[in-house]
Amino acid sequence: MLQDFNICIQTQFVFGKNAQNQIGSELKKRGVKRVLIHHDNGEFLYATGLLESISRNLEKEGISWVELGGVLPNPRLSLVYEGIEIAKKEDVDFVIAIGGGSVIDSAKAIGLGAVIKGDVWDFFTGAAVPESSLPVGVILT
């Protein structure tokens, strides 16, 4: 038997052909100014024009962006630290993960680490508990 519960999931899903072309307008509605585009450097991103399409869409809405590719399966902490450094230095206020599970995991870790002074690894060892994060959006490939 189903038990009573309350749930609040502040997640928006945008589905459909060329849904990625809505990223700029959706982020602009939320006041986003600067984005970190995070991905795996996959040939798919370049061959299909997906990465170019997303970056053009952001620019069209007045949202600037920086890019960090290179995610490998089972993401490396070194790339997460690089992403955190970029996010802080470039005053990023949103992370876009373009890819699958490893890219998404890496982007979430960057989002967590970008808003703290400590070490993001503390969240994974249980030494710290997350209290906030940069928002993370996903364009699932």
Side-chain angles (χ1 to χ4, degrees):
M1 178 178 252
L2 184 63
Q3 300 295 316
D4 293 343
F5 66 92
N6 291 337
I7 187 169
C8 177
I9 301 175
Q10 297 181 355
T11 301
Q12 179 177 350
F13 294 92
V14 178
F15 290 98
K17 185 175 182 180
N18 297 316
Q20 75 278 1
N21 292 333
Q22 297 178 45
I23 189 76
S25 62
E26 291 298 328
L27 294 182
K28 185 176 182 178
K29 288 178 197 175
R30 290 161 178 71
V32 172
K33 303 287 185 209
R34 188 146 176 86
V35 167
L36 172 63
I37 299 175
H38 193 46
H39 58 81
D40 64 1
N41 285 335
E43 181 59 31
F44 174 82
L45 298 173
Y46 303 99
T48 63
L50 180 61
L51 186 58
E52 182 181 353
S53 171
I54 291 167
S55 59
R56 270 196 327 251
N57 189 268
L58 292 169
E59 289 169 357
K60 180 179 126 190
E61 297 295 340
I63 299 170
S64 62
W65 56 273
V66 292
E67 182 180 350
L68 178 61
V71 177
L72 299 171
N74 300 314
R76 306 307 187 266
L77 191 56
S78 58
L79 190 65
V80 169
Y81 287 139
E82 184 179 346
I84 291 168
E85 184 178 323
I86 290 169
K88 287 180 176 183
K89 179 183 171 201
E90 298 290 336
D91 200 25
V92 165
D93 56 354
F94 197 94
V95 180
I96 297 174
I98 306 174
S102 292
V103 176
I104 296 166
D105 289 345
S106 183
K108 291 187 298 185
I110 291 168
L112 284 170
V115 298
I116 63 166
K117 291 186 178 168
D119 187 348
V120 71
W121 188 246
D122 289 344
F123 297 124
F124 298 93
T125 64
V129 176
E131 294 180 13
S132 65
S133 173
L134 288 179
V136 176
V138 176
I139 298 174
L140 195 58
T141 61

